[in-house]
Amino acid sequence: MFFKAVVSFKKAPVYSRQIIAQFVYIGRKSFPIVLITSTFIGLALGVQIGTQMNPITPHWMEGGLILRSMLLEMGPIIIGLILSGRVAAGIAAEIGTMKVTEQIDALRSFAIDPIEYLVMPRLIAAMFAVPTLLVFADFVGIFSGFISSFFTINLSWASFVKGMRHDFHTADVLTSLLKAYIFGIVIVIFGSYFGFESKRGAKGVGQATTLAVVWSSVDILMLDYLISAILYFV
Amino acid sequence: MIKVRDLHKSFNNHAVLNGVNLELLDGEVLSIIGKSGTGKSVLIKSILGLIEPDSGSVEVDGMEVVGMSEDQFNAKVRNNISIVFQEGALWDSMNVGENIELALQIKKHLDPEEREEIVIDSLRKVGLENIRYVYPEELSGGMMKRVAIARAIATRPKYLFYDEPTTGLDPVLSNVINNLIKKLNAELGITTLIISHDIKGVETVSDRVAMLYEGKVVHTCNAKEMWQQENKIFNDFIRGRMGINEY
Ligand SMILES: Nc1ncnc2c1ncn2[C@@H]1O[C@H](COP(=O)(O)OP(=O)(O)O)[C@@H](O)[C@H]1O
Ligand SMILES: [Mg+2]
Protein backbone atom coordinates (compact mmCIF):
# COMPACT_ATOMS: atom_id res chain seq x y z
CA MET A 1 0.00 0.00 0.00
CA PHE A 2 2.81 2.37 0.89
CA PHE A 3 4.54 1.78 -2.41
CA LYS A 4 1.32 2.07 -4.36
CA ALA A 5 0.66 5.36 -2.63
CA VAL A 6 4.18 6.58 -3.39
CA VAL A 7 3.85 5.58 -7.03
CA SER A 8 0.70 7.69 -7.24
CA PHE A 9 2.58 10.78 -5.94
CA LYS A 10 3.00 11.80 -9.55
CA LYS A 11 -0.73 12.46 -9.64
CA ALA A 12 -0.53 14.66 -6.56
CA PRO A 13 -1.43 17.91 -8.37
CA VAL A 14 -4.84 16.45 -9.29
CA TYR A 15 -5.54 15.90 -5.62
CA SER A 16 -4.15 19.18 -4.28
CA ARG A 17 -7.51 20.02 -2.72
CA GLN A 18 -7.58 16.77 -0.74
CA ILE A 19 -3.95 17.23 0.28
CA ILE A 20 -4.63 20.68 1.68
CA ALA A 21 -7.74 19.48 3.50
CA GLN A 22 -5.73 16.64 5.05
CA PHE A 23 -2.89 18.98 5.98
CA VAL A 24 -5.38 21.11 7.87
CA TYR A 25 -6.89 18.04 9.51
CA ILE A 26 -3.58 16.51 10.59
CA GLY A 27 -1.72 19.73 11.27
CA ARG A 28 -3.88 22.51 12.53
CA LYS A 29 -6.40 20.43 14.40
CA SER A 30 -3.67 18.57 16.27
CA PHE A 31 -2.08 21.85 17.30
CA PRO A 32 -3.79 22.39 20.68
CA ILE A 33 -3.18 18.90 21.97
CA VAL A 34 0.45 19.01 20.87
CA LEU A 35 0.82 22.35 22.64
CA ILE A 36 -0.57 21.00 25.89
CA THR A 37 1.34 17.72 25.91
CA SER A 38 4.68 19.20 24.97
CA THR A 39 4.31 21.91 27.60
CA PHE A 40 3.77 19.38 30.34
CA ILE A 41 6.46 17.01 29.14
CA GLY A 42 8.88 19.95 29.12
CA LEU A 43 7.83 20.97 32.62
CA ALA A 44 8.24 17.42 33.89
CA LEU A 45 11.66 17.09 32.24
CA GLY A 46 12.78 20.29 33.94
CA VAL A 47 11.79 19.02 37.37
CA GLN A 48 13.16 15.55 36.80
CA ILE A 49 16.54 16.61 35.50
CA GLY A 50 16.72 19.47 38.00
CA THR A 51 16.33 17.14 40.97
CA GLN A 52 19.04 14.87 39.58
CA MET A 53 21.54 17.71 39.46
CA ASN A 54 23.79 17.07 42.45
CA PRO A 55 26.26 19.56 43.91
CA ILE A 56 29.15 18.49 41.70
CA THR A 57 27.22 18.66 38.40
CA PRO A 58 27.36 22.12 36.87
CA HIS A 59 23.75 23.34 36.70
CA TRP A 60 24.13 24.87 33.26
CA MET A 61 24.32 21.36 31.86
CA GLU A 62 20.60 21.09 32.38
CA GLY A 63 19.96 23.20 29.24
CA GLY A 64 21.77 20.68 27.07
CA LEU A 65 20.11 17.71 28.72
CA ILE A 66 16.65 19.12 28.16
CA LEU A 67 17.50 20.12 24.61
CA ARG A 68 18.72 16.69 23.65
CA SER A 69 16.01 14.75 25.48
CA MET A 70 13.37 16.83 23.81
CA LEU A 71 14.88 16.73 20.32
CA LEU A 72 15.90 13.11 20.24
CA GLU A 73 13.23 11.30 22.20
CA MET A 74 10.48 13.27 23.89
CA GLY A 75 9.44 15.45 20.95
CA PRO A 76 9.16 12.68 18.36
CA ILE A 77 7.54 10.28 20.80
CA ILE A 78 4.90 12.72 22.01
CA ILE A 79 4.07 13.62 18.45
CA GLY A 80 4.03 9.99 17.38
CA LEU A 81 1.80 8.76 20.18
CA ILE A 82 -0.56 11.72 20.23
CA LEU A 83 -1.05 11.52 16.49
CA SER A 84 -1.52 7.75 16.63
CA GLY A 85 -4.40 8.40 18.96
CA ARG A 86 -5.85 11.24 16.98
CA VAL A 87 -4.89 10.86 13.35
CA ALA A 88 -4.40 7.09 12.86
CA ALA A 89 -7.69 6.50 14.69
CA GLY A 90 -9.45 9.17 12.66
CA ILE A 91 -8.18 7.79 9.36
CA ALA A 92 -9.12 4.21 10.29
CA ALA A 93 -12.61 5.30 11.36
CA GLU A 94 -13.19 7.34 8.24
CA ILE A 95 -11.91 4.78 5.74
CA GLY A 96 -13.57 1.96 7.72
CA THR A 97 -16.92 3.74 7.55
CA MET A 98 -16.46 4.26 3.83
CA LYS A 99 -15.69 0.58 3.45
CA VAL A 100 -18.77 -0.69 5.30
CA THR A 101 -21.11 1.80 3.60
CA GLU A 102 -19.82 0.70 0.17
CA GLN A 103 -18.27 4.10 -0.54
CA ILE A 104 -14.97 2.36 -1.39
CA ASP A 105 -16.79 0.05 -3.80
CA ALA A 106 -18.44 3.13 -5.27
CA LEU A 107 -15.02 4.74 -5.85
CA ARG A 108 -13.76 1.63 -7.62
CA SER A 109 -16.95 1.35 -9.66
CA PHE A 110 -16.20 4.79 -11.10
CA ALA A 111 -12.60 3.80 -11.80
CA ILE A 112 -11.16 5.80 -8.93
CA ASP A 113 -8.28 4.08 -7.17
CA PRO A 114 -9.06 4.23 -3.42
CA ILE A 115 -5.38 4.25 -2.47
CA GLU A 116 -4.61 7.08 -4.82
CA TYR A 117 -7.67 9.00 -3.73
CA LEU A 118 -7.64 8.34 0.03
CA VAL A 119 -4.14 7.31 1.10
CA MET A 120 -1.84 9.35 -1.11
CA PRO A 121 -3.17 12.79 -0.09
CA ARG A 122 -3.00 11.83 3.60
CA LEU A 123 0.53 10.56 3.20
CA ILE A 124 1.77 13.73 1.53
CA ALA A 125 -0.05 15.89 4.08
CA ALA A 126 1.47 13.92 6.97
CA MET A 127 4.98 14.18 5.52
CA PHE A 128 4.70 17.95 5.83
CA ALA A 129 2.42 18.33 8.83
CA VAL A 130 4.10 15.96 11.28
CA PRO A 131 7.63 17.45 11.07
CA THR A 132 6.07 20.91 11.37
CA LEU A 133 4.22 19.90 14.51
CA LEU A 134 7.43 18.40 15.83
CA VAL A 135 9.43 21.61 15.43
CA PHE A 136 6.68 23.35 17.31
CA ALA A 137 6.60 20.69 20.05
CA ASP A 138 10.38 20.84 20.44
CA PHE A 139 10.35 24.61 20.92
CA VAL A 140 7.49 24.52 23.39
CA GLY A 141 8.95 21.58 25.30
CA ILE A 142 12.40 23.11 25.60
CA PHE A 143 11.03 26.44 26.72
CA SER A 144 8.74 24.93 29.33
CA GLY A 145 11.74 22.82 30.39
CA PHE A 146 13.56 26.03 31.10
CA ILE A 147 10.63 27.45 33.07
CA SER A 148 10.49 24.48 35.36
CA SER A 149 14.30 24.36 35.76
CA PHE A 150 14.08 27.95 36.84
CA PHE A 151 11.60 27.07 39.56
CA THR A 152 13.32 23.82 40.57
CA ILE A 153 17.01 24.78 40.75
CA ASN A 154 16.74 28.49 40.02
CA LEU A 155 18.54 28.13 36.69
CA SER A 156 19.08 31.38 34.80
CA TRP A 157 18.26 31.82 31.09
CA ALA A 158 21.93 32.52 30.39
CA SER A 159 23.10 29.23 31.92
CA PHE A 160 20.30 27.37 30.22
CA VAL A 161 21.41 28.76 26.86
CA LYS A 162 25.01 28.00 27.65
CA GLY A 163 24.05 24.38 28.24
CA MET A 164 22.09 24.24 25.03
CA ARG A 165 24.97 25.75 23.04
CA HIS A 166 27.37 23.26 24.55
CA ASP A 167 25.24 20.30 23.53
CA PHE A 168 23.76 21.48 20.25
CA HIS A 169 24.38 19.24 17.26
CA THR A 170 22.76 19.76 13.88
CA ALA A 171 22.56 16.00 13.57
CA ASP A 172 20.14 15.90 16.53
CA VAL A 173 17.76 18.25 14.76
CA LEU A 174 17.91 16.11 11.65
CA THR A 175 17.31 12.96 13.68
CA SER A 176 14.31 14.57 15.28
CA LEU A 177 12.87 15.54 11.91
CA LEU A 178 13.65 12.15 10.41
CA LYS A 179 11.73 10.46 13.20
CA ALA A 180 8.74 12.74 12.79
CA TYR A 181 8.74 12.13 9.06
CA ILE A 182 8.80 8.36 9.48
CA PHE A 183 6.20 8.41 12.26
CA GLY A 184 3.92 10.45 10.01
CA ILE A 185 4.17 7.72 7.37
CA VAL A 186 3.54 4.99 9.96
CA ILE A 187 0.44 6.75 11.27
CA VAL A 188 -1.14 7.19 7.84
CA ILE A 189 -0.28 3.71 6.63
CA PHE A 190 -1.59 1.91 9.72
CA GLY A 191 -4.69 4.08 9.90
CA SER A 192 -5.48 3.43 6.24
CA TYR A 193 -4.60 -0.24 6.31
CA PHE A 194 -6.90 -1.10 9.20
CA GLY A 195 -9.62 1.11 7.75
CA PHE A 196 -9.55 -0.82 4.48
CA GLU A 197 -9.49 -4.13 6.36
CA SER A 198 -12.46 -3.14 8.47
CA LYS A 199 -15.14 -5.83 8.90
CA ARG A 200 -18.79 -5.09 8.27
CA GLY A 201 -20.86 -3.11 10.76
CA ALA A 202 -20.17 -0.44 13.34
CA LYS A 203 -18.31 -2.99 15.44
CA GLY A 204 -15.94 -3.61 12.57
CA VAL A 205 -15.11 0.08 12.32
CA GLY A 206 -14.53 0.28 16.09
CA GLN A 207 -12.16 -2.63 15.92
CA ALA A 208 -10.31 -1.13 12.99
CA THR A 209 -9.83 2.09 14.93
CA THR A 210 -8.46 0.31 17.98
CA LEU A 211 -6.10 -1.82 15.92
CA ALA A 212 -4.82 1.23 14.07
CA VAL A 213 -3.98 3.05 17.32
CA VAL A 214 -2.38 0.04 18.98
CA TRP A 215 -0.27 -0.98 16.01
CA SER A 216 0.86 2.48 15.06
CA SER A 217 1.81 3.29 18.69
CA VAL A 218 3.75 0.06 19.12
CA ASP A 219 5.48 0.48 15.78
CA ILE A 220 6.40 4.04 16.57
CA LEU A 221 8.06 3.03 19.82
CA MET A 222 9.96 0.21 18.13
CA LEU A 223 11.04 2.38 15.22
CA ASP A 224 12.05 5.10 17.64
CA TYR A 225 14.44 2.70 19.31
CA LEU A 226 15.69 1.33 15.99
CA ILE A 227 16.39 4.75 14.54
CA SER A 228 18.18 5.86 17.72
CA ALA A 229 20.23 2.66 17.81
CA ILE A 230 21.16 2.72 14.14
CA LEU A 231 22.18 6.37 14.27
CA TYR A 232 24.20 5.74 17.41
CA PHE A 233 26.16 2.91 15.81
CA VAL A 234 26.87 4.58 12.47
CA MET B 1 -25.55 -8.19 -23.51
CA ILE B 2 -24.12 -9.58 -20.30
CA LYS B 3 -23.79 -13.36 -19.96
CA VAL B 4 -22.97 -14.96 -16.62
CA ARG B 5 -22.03 -18.61 -16.80
CA ASP B 6 -21.47 -21.05 -13.96
CA LEU B 7 -20.25 -18.37 -11.58
CA HIS B 8 -18.92 -19.53 -8.20
CA LYS B 9 -17.88 -17.55 -5.15
CA SER B 10 -17.27 -18.70 -1.58
CA PHE B 11 -16.42 -16.74 1.54
CA ASN B 12 -14.66 -18.71 4.29
CA ASN B 13 -15.70 -22.04 2.75
CA HIS B 14 -19.31 -20.96 2.56
CA ALA B 15 -20.51 -21.12 -1.05
CA VAL B 16 -22.50 -17.96 -1.78
CA LEU B 17 -22.68 -18.21 -5.57
CA ASN B 18 -22.82 -21.84 -6.60
CA GLY B 19 -23.05 -21.91 -10.37
CA VAL B 20 -25.05 -18.84 -11.39
CA ASN B 21 -26.26 -18.64 -14.99
CA LEU B 22 -27.89 -15.44 -16.15
CA GLU B 23 -28.35 -13.30 -19.24
CA LEU B 24 -29.06 -9.60 -19.30
CA LEU B 25 -30.44 -8.64 -22.71
CA ASP B 26 -29.81 -5.27 -24.32
CA GLY B 27 -32.50 -2.75 -23.49
CA GLU B 28 -34.40 -4.84 -20.97
CA VAL B 29 -35.16 -4.42 -17.28
CA LEU B 30 -34.31 -7.61 -15.42
CA SER B 31 -35.05 -8.02 -11.73
CA ILE B 32 -33.27 -10.49 -9.50
CA ILE B 33 -35.24 -11.52 -6.47
CA GLY B 34 -34.25 -13.76 -3.57
CA LYS B 35 -33.87 -13.85 0.20
CA SER B 36 -31.37 -11.55 1.85
CA GLY B 37 -27.95 -13.03 2.09
CA THR B 38 -28.28 -15.21 -1.03
CA GLY B 39 -25.53 -13.34 -2.82
CA LYS B 40 -27.42 -10.90 -5.01
CA SER B 41 -25.02 -8.07 -4.18
CA VAL B 42 -22.04 -10.40 -4.56
CA LEU B 43 -23.31 -11.27 -8.05
CA ILE B 44 -23.49 -7.69 -9.34
CA LYS B 45 -20.18 -6.78 -7.72
CA SER B 46 -18.55 -9.75 -9.43
CA ILE B 47 -19.65 -8.45 -12.82
CA LEU B 48 -17.91 -5.11 -12.14
CA GLY B 49 -14.80 -6.71 -10.67
CA LEU B 50 -15.41 -5.32 -7.19
CA ILE B 51 -15.40 -8.91 -5.96
CA GLU B 52 -13.30 -11.57 -7.64
CA PRO B 53 -15.27 -14.76 -8.34
CA ASP B 54 -13.63 -18.14 -7.74
CA SER B 55 -14.59 -19.57 -11.11
CA GLY B 56 -16.98 -19.18 -13.99
CA SER B 57 -17.35 -16.63 -16.71
CA VAL B 58 -18.88 -13.20 -17.19
CA GLU B 59 -19.09 -11.79 -20.70
CA VAL B 60 -19.90 -8.14 -21.23
CA ASP B 61 -20.68 -7.47 -24.90
CA GLY B 62 -18.78 -10.57 -25.86
CA MET B 63 -15.71 -9.73 -23.76
CA GLU B 64 -14.66 -12.06 -20.94
CA VAL B 65 -14.13 -9.97 -17.80
CA VAL B 66 -13.33 -12.57 -15.13
CA GLY B 67 -9.61 -12.36 -14.41
CA MET B 68 -9.17 -8.84 -15.75
CA SER B 69 -6.84 -6.51 -13.88
CA GLU B 70 -8.12 -3.43 -12.06
CA ASP B 71 -6.88 -1.23 -14.92
CA GLN B 72 -8.64 -3.33 -17.54
CA PHE B 73 -11.87 -3.22 -15.56
CA ASN B 74 -11.55 0.56 -15.36
CA ALA B 75 -10.93 0.98 -19.04
CA LYS B 76 -13.25 -1.63 -20.51
CA VAL B 77 -16.04 -2.45 -18.06
CA ARG B 78 -16.64 0.24 -15.46
CA ASN B 79 -17.02 3.00 -18.05
CA ASN B 80 -20.07 1.15 -19.39
CA ILE B 81 -21.69 -0.08 -16.20
CA SER B 82 -22.78 1.95 -13.16
CA ILE B 83 -24.12 0.72 -9.84
CA VAL B 84 -26.62 2.43 -7.59
CA PHE B 85 -25.54 1.00 -4.26
CA GLN B 86 -27.98 -0.09 -1.61
CA GLU B 87 -27.70 2.85 0.78
CA GLY B 88 -26.63 5.14 -2.03
CA ALA B 89 -22.96 5.03 -0.98
CA LEU B 90 -22.62 8.76 -1.65
CA TRP B 91 -19.19 10.07 -0.68
CA ASP B 92 -20.10 11.89 2.47
CA SER B 93 -17.18 14.31 2.57
CA MET B 94 -18.50 15.93 -0.62
CA ASN B 95 -21.67 17.72 -1.57
CA VAL B 96 -24.07 16.36 -4.15
CA GLY B 97 -22.55 18.22 -7.10
CA GLU B 98 -19.03 17.17 -6.14
CA ASN B 99 -20.17 13.56 -5.90
CA ILE B 100 -21.27 13.68 -9.50
CA GLU B 101 -18.16 15.55 -10.62
CA LEU B 102 -15.90 12.97 -9.05
CA ALA B 103 -17.76 10.13 -10.75
CA LEU B 104 -17.32 11.97 -14.05
CA GLN B 105 -13.54 11.69 -13.77
CA ILE B 106 -13.94 8.33 -15.50
CA LYS B 107 -14.81 10.31 -18.66
CA LYS B 108 -11.43 11.87 -19.26
CA HIS B 109 -12.12 13.77 -22.47
CA LEU B 110 -14.82 16.10 -21.10
CA ASP B 111 -14.11 19.82 -20.74
CA PRO B 112 -15.31 21.81 -17.71
CA GLU B 113 -18.43 23.22 -19.40
CA GLU B 114 -19.54 19.79 -20.50
CA ARG B 115 -19.01 18.44 -16.98
CA GLU B 116 -21.00 21.27 -15.53
CA GLU B 117 -23.82 20.63 -17.95
CA ILE B 118 -23.89 16.92 -17.14
CA VAL B 119 -24.04 17.59 -13.39
CA ILE B 120 -27.05 19.85 -13.81
CA ASP B 121 -28.71 17.61 -16.36
CA SER B 122 -28.29 14.46 -14.24
CA LEU B 123 -29.83 16.15 -11.22
CA ARG B 124 -32.69 17.42 -13.35
CA LYS B 125 -33.37 13.90 -14.63
CA VAL B 126 -33.98 12.71 -11.06
CA GLY B 127 -35.96 15.81 -10.18
CA LEU B 128 -33.43 17.34 -7.77
CA GLU B 129 -31.97 20.37 -9.51
CA ASN B 130 -31.86 22.43 -6.33
CA ILE B 131 -29.72 20.37 -4.01
CA ARG B 132 -26.39 20.59 -5.72
CA TYR B 133 -24.63 22.16 -2.71
CA VAL B 134 -26.28 19.98 -0.08
CA TYR B 135 -24.24 17.33 1.77
CA PRO B 136 -25.38 13.68 1.86
CA GLU B 137 -25.95 13.73 5.64
CA GLU B 138 -28.69 16.33 5.14
CA LEU B 139 -30.61 14.23 2.62
CA SER B 140 -33.55 11.92 3.29
CA GLY B 141 -33.32 8.26 2.27
CA GLY B 142 -35.31 8.78 -0.91
CA MET B 143 -33.27 11.78 -1.97
CA MET B 144 -30.06 9.93 -1.29
CA LYS B 145 -31.11 7.15 -3.64
CA ARG B 146 -32.08 9.66 -6.31
CA VAL B 147 -28.72 11.41 -6.02
CA ALA B 148 -27.03 8.02 -6.29
CA ILE B 149 -29.03 7.46 -9.46
CA ALA B 150 -28.02 10.88 -10.79
CA ARG B 151 -24.38 10.05 -10.09
CA ALA B 152 -24.74 6.70 -11.83
CA ILE B 153 -26.35 8.05 -15.00
CA ALA B 154 -23.96 11.00 -15.25
CA THR B 155 -21.37 8.76 -16.86
CA ARG B 156 -23.89 7.71 -19.56
CA PRO B 157 -23.56 3.99 -18.88
CA LYS B 158 -24.90 1.37 -21.20
CA TYR B 159 -25.83 -0.78 -18.21
CA LEU B 160 -27.20 0.30 -14.85
CA PHE B 161 -27.41 -1.98 -11.80
CA TYR B 162 -29.62 -1.07 -8.86
CA ASP B 163 -28.96 -2.80 -5.53
CA GLU B 164 -32.28 -2.83 -3.68
CA PRO B 165 -33.38 0.63 -4.85
CA THR B 166 -36.61 0.68 -2.86
CA THR B 167 -35.59 -1.15 0.31
CA GLY B 168 -36.21 1.06 3.33
CA LEU B 169 -38.51 3.47 1.48
CA ASP B 170 -42.23 3.93 2.06
CA PRO B 171 -44.63 2.83 -0.73
CA VAL B 172 -45.01 6.34 -2.14
CA LEU B 173 -41.26 6.88 -2.42
CA SER B 174 -40.82 3.35 -3.77
CA ASN B 175 -43.21 4.30 -6.53
CA VAL B 176 -41.22 7.43 -7.32
CA ILE B 177 -38.03 5.40 -7.61
CA ASN B 178 -39.65 2.64 -9.67
CA ASN B 179 -41.09 5.17 -12.10
CA LEU B 180 -37.71 6.82 -12.37
CA ILE B 181 -36.03 3.49 -13.15
CA LYS B 182 -38.60 2.79 -15.83
CA LYS B 183 -38.25 6.27 -17.29
CA LEU B 184 -34.46 6.13 -17.47
CA ASN B 185 -34.63 2.73 -19.11
CA ALA B 186 -37.09 3.99 -21.71
CA GLU B 187 -35.66 7.45 -22.36
CA LEU B 188 -31.96 6.73 -22.21
CA GLY B 189 -32.16 3.13 -23.36
CA ILE B 190 -30.15 1.96 -20.36
CA THR B 191 -30.12 -1.81 -19.92
CA THR B 192 -31.18 -2.30 -16.33
CA LEU B 193 -30.57 -4.93 -13.68
CA ILE B 194 -32.42 -4.54 -10.39
CA ILE B 195 -32.01 -6.43 -7.17
CA SER B 196 -35.22 -6.24 -5.24
CA HIS B 197 -37.48 -7.56 -2.51
CA ASP B 198 -40.31 -5.34 -3.60
CA ILE B 199 -42.45 -7.86 -5.52
CA LYS B 200 -45.10 -5.33 -6.60
CA GLY B 201 -42.40 -2.98 -7.86
CA VAL B 202 -40.72 -5.83 -9.70
CA GLU B 203 -43.94 -6.64 -11.50
CA THR B 204 -44.51 -3.11 -12.72
CA VAL B 205 -40.93 -2.16 -13.57
CA SER B 206 -39.37 -5.28 -15.05
CA ASP B 207 -39.53 -7.08 -18.32
CA ARG B 208 -38.16 -10.28 -16.81
CA VAL B 209 -37.64 -11.69 -13.35
CA ALA B 210 -34.99 -14.13 -12.17
CA MET B 211 -34.86 -15.78 -8.78
CA LEU B 212 -31.61 -16.53 -6.98
CA TYR B 213 -31.86 -19.35 -4.48
CA GLU B 214 -29.06 -21.23 -2.71
CA GLY B 215 -26.43 -19.87 -5.02
CA LYS B 216 -28.20 -20.55 -8.31
CA VAL B 217 -30.74 -18.90 -10.57
CA VAL B 218 -33.61 -21.35 -10.08
CA HIS B 219 -36.24 -19.68 -12.22
CA THR B 220 -36.60 -16.97 -14.87
CA CYS B 221 -39.80 -15.70 -16.42
CA ASN B 222 -41.56 -12.72 -17.96
CA ALA B 223 -42.67 -10.23 -15.34
CA LYS B 224 -46.18 -10.11 -16.78
CA GLU B 225 -46.55 -13.85 -16.25
CA MET B 226 -44.94 -14.04 -12.86
CA TRP B 227 -48.14 -15.02 -11.04
CA GLN B 228 -48.76 -17.99 -13.35
CA GLN B 229 -45.57 -19.93 -12.78
CA GLU B 230 -45.23 -23.58 -11.88
CA ASN B 231 -41.95 -23.37 -10.01
CA LYS B 232 -42.67 -23.99 -6.32
CA ILE B 233 -39.75 -22.08 -4.83
CA PHE B 234 -40.52 -19.08 -7.01
CA ASN B 235 -44.23 -19.19 -6.19
CA ASP B 236 -43.65 -19.53 -2.48
CA PHE B 237 -41.22 -16.64 -2.50
CA ILE B 238 -43.34 -14.12 -4.38
CA ARG B 239 -46.39 -15.03 -2.32
CA GLY B 240 -44.45 -14.64 0.90
CA ARG B 241 -44.84 -18.30 1.83
CA MET B 242 -41.21 -19.17 2.18
CA GLY B 243 -40.88 -20.88 5.55
CA ILE B 244 -39.43 -18.84 8.37
CA ASN B 245 -36.95 -21.66 8.99
CA GLU B 246 -35.43 -21.06 5.63
CA TYR B 247 -34.27 -17.61 6.62
N1 LIG C 1 -16.76 -9.16 1.31
C1 LIG C 1 -17.34 -10.21 1.93
N2 LIG C 1 -16.66 -10.96 2.81
C2 LIG C 1 -17.22 -12.02 3.42
N3 LIG C 1 -18.48 -12.40 3.25
C3 LIG C 1 -19.23 -11.69 2.39
C4 LIG C 1 -18.72 -10.55 1.70
N4 LIG C 1 -19.68 -10.04 0.90
C5 LIG C 1 -20.76 -10.82 1.10
N5 LIG C 1 -20.50 -11.81 1.99
C6 LIG C 1 -21.43 -12.85 2.43
O1 LIG C 1 -22.06 -13.37 1.29
C7 LIG C 1 -23.43 -13.61 1.53
C8 LIG C 1 -24.26 -12.91 0.50
O2 LIG C 1 -24.19 -11.51 0.68
P1 LIG C 1 -24.96 -10.47 -0.25
O3 LIG C 1 -24.58 -10.68 -1.65
O4 LIG C 1 -24.72 -9.14 0.33
O5 LIG C 1 -26.48 -10.90 -0.04
P2 LIG C 1 -27.76 -10.20 -0.65
O6 LIG C 1 -28.40 -11.26 -1.48
O7 LIG C 1 -28.61 -9.86 0.51
O8 LIG C 1 -27.32 -9.02 -1.42
C9 LIG C 1 -23.70 -13.16 2.94
O9 LIG C 1 -23.72 -14.29 3.76
C10 LIG C 1 -22.55 -12.28 3.27
O10 LIG C 1 -22.25 -12.35 4.63
MG1 LIG D 1 -27.47 -7.05 -0.93
Side-chain angles (χ1 to χ4, degrees):
Chain A
M1 184 159 73
F2 173 65
F3 293 109
K4 247 194 106 180
V6 170
V7 170
S8 62
F9 276 5
K10 61 177 184 293
K11 296 204 188 153
V14 182
Y15 295 101
S16 49
R17 222 189 80 187
Q18 280 83 5
I19 295 173
I20 292 167
Q22 289 304 325
F23 185 83
V24 170
Y25 173 75
I26 297 172
R28 205 187 71 195
K29 295 195 174 152
S30 301
F31 208 76
I33 184 146
V34 168
L35 174 69
I36 295 168
T37 45
S38 49
T39 303
F40 281 97
I41 292 280
L43 289 174
L45 267 184
V47 176
Q48 159 72 25
I49 296 175
T51 51
Q52 282 190 281
M53 292 278 145
N54 56 42
I56 53 164
T57 322
H59 282 188
W60 58 262
M61 280 185 70
E62 174 145 2
L65 289 169
I66 289 181
L67 172 78
R68 294 201 79 190
S69 322
M70 207 56 214
L71 278 183
L72 290 176
E73 295 300 334
M74 289 313 199
I77 286 193
I78 304 169
I79 293 284
L81 294 184
I82 292 292
L83 295 190
S84 288
R86 225 191 78 86
V87 177
I91 293 175
E94 191 177 349
I95 294 183
T97 304
M98 290 184 73
K99 168 91 185 291
V100 301
T101 56
E102 298 185 305
Q103 291 179 54
I104 306 277
D105 280 335
L107 283 175
R108 291 177 64 204
S109 82
F110 288 106
I112 297 158
D113 181 348
I115 292 189
E116 189 178 303
Y117 183 73
L118 295 170
V119 182
M120 183 267 280
R122 287 172 169 78
L123 202 54
I124 293 185
M127 286 171 166
F128 288 99
V130 178
T132 311
L133 282 170
L134 173 85
V135 170
F136 171 69
D138 283 346
F139 272 110
V140 171
I142 291 166
F143 186 70
S144 57
F146 162 70
I147 305 269
S148 83
S149 318
F150 175 77
F151 285 112
T152 319
I153 54 170
N154 206 6
L155 190 71
S156 72
W157 178 242
S159 339
F160 190 81
V161 171
K162 179 180 171 198
M164 290 207 292
R165 284 239 173 87
H166 184 259
D167 261 339
F168 181 85
H169 307 285
T170 315
D172 292 352
V173 177
L174 295 179
T175 306
S176 199
L177 288 171
L178 174 73
K179 283 183 174 179
Y181 190 78
I182 291 178
F183 295 170
I185 295 173
V186 168
I187 286 164
V188 171
I189 293 298
F190 277 91
S192 308
Y193 175 78
F194 287 107
F196 280 120
E197 290 295 305
S198 167
K199 300 279 182 314
R200 295 169 152 205
K203 209 172 141 198
V205 177
Q207 251 166 15
T209 311
T210 311
L211 284 170
V213 174
V214 170
W215 280 99
S216 77
S217 308
V218 168
D219 268 71
I220 280 171
L221 293 174
M222 293 196 310
L223 282 171
D224 181 71
Y225 165 70
L226 274 179
I227 297 168
S228 301
I230 291 169
L231 290 176
Y232 175 79
F233 287 113
V234 294
Chain B
M1 186 164 78
I2 297 180
K3 265 191 203 165
V4 176
R5 260 184 265 120
D6 202 24
L7 202 65
H8 285 79
K9 177 68 187 176
S10 304
F11 290 107
N12 321 314
N13 289 324
H14 167 64
V16 174
L17 303 182
N18 200 4
V20 172
N21 289 291
L22 188 76
E23 286 190 356
L24 179 64
L25 308 174
D26 284 350
E28 77 169 338
V29 179
L30 172 68
S31 286
I32 301 180
I33 58 174
K35 299 183 294 189
S36 7
T38 42
K40 303 184 294 298
S41 302
V42 170
L43 173 62
I44 58 169
K45 286 183 189 173
S46 302
I47 297 174
L48 269 188
L50 303 175
I51 286 178
E52 195 184 339
D54 300 330
S55 66
S57 134
V58 176
E59 270 181 23
V60 177
D61 297 327
M63 169 180 59
E64 178 61 54
V65 307
V66 173
M68 275 187 173
S69 70
E70 192 78 0
D71 285 342
Q72 287 173 315
F73 266 111
N74 287 343
K76 296 179 179 165
V77 183
R78 293 173 186 160
N79 54 351
N80 282 324
I81 309 178
S82 291
I83 301 191
V84 176
F85 289 90
Q86 187 164 348
E87 305 291 336
L90 298 178
W91 300 304
D92 48 25
S93 61
M94 280 176 257
N95 69 31
V96 165
E98 289 164 343
N99 262 272
I100 300 175
E101 280 163 33
L102 184 60
L104 275 175
Q105 284 200 4
I106 195 171
K107 303 281 177 198
K108 296 197 171 61
H109 55 272
L110 296 173
D111 58 46
E113 291 96 68
E114 285 174 306
R115 281 170 202 278
E116 183 62 23
E117 210 167 285
I118 293 174
V119 171
I120 294 167
D121 181 54
S122 308
L123 283 171
R124 191 183 305 125
K125 283 202 170 73
V126 300
L128 293 173
E129 346 11 22
N130 302 323
I131 59 154
R132 170 161 191 186
Y133 298 103
V134 176
Y135 280 80
E137 60 190 20
E138 302 162 48
L139 298 174
S140 68
M143 282 165 117
M144 234 185 272
K145 296 237 164 128
R146 281 194 280 163
V147 173
I149 294 173
R151 183 177 72 178
I153 58 172
T155 61
R156 296 294 137 91
K158 178 173 177 197
Y159 302 97
L160 186 48
F161 299 169
Y162 297 86
D163 195 346
E164 307 202 11
T166 57
T167 300
L169 301 183
D170 63 49
V172 176
L173 275 176
S174 298
N175 247 333
V176 172
I177 299 286
N178 283 329
N179 290 335
L180 186 57
I181 294 175
K182 195 75 205 155
K183 186 185 97 173
L184 294 173
N185 167 253
E187 285 178 8
L188 306 179
I190 303 179
T191 304
T192 304
L193 181 68
I194 307 173
I195 288 174
S196 188
H197 291 293
D198 167 17
I199 303 295
K200 284 218 175 58
V202 164
E203 192 185 1
T204 51
V205 173
S206 338
D207 300 310
R208 291 194 306 140
V209 184
M211 177 163 174
L212 192 64
Y213 182 76
E214 295 188 342
K216 289 190 171 70
V217 173
V218 292
H219 190 66
T220 311
C221 64
N222 278 331
K224 286 196 186 67
E225 296 153 9
M226 68 187 276
W227 299 103
Q228 291 98 45
Q229 299 299 308
E230 306 268 299
N231 187 294
K232 182 170 182 329
I233 297 173
F234 184 82
N235 271 330
D236 286 352
F237 184 77
I238 64 173
R239 291 182 171 78
R241 288 202 302 248
M242 199 150 261
I244 193 88
N245 295 336
E246 294 171 66
Y247 277 82

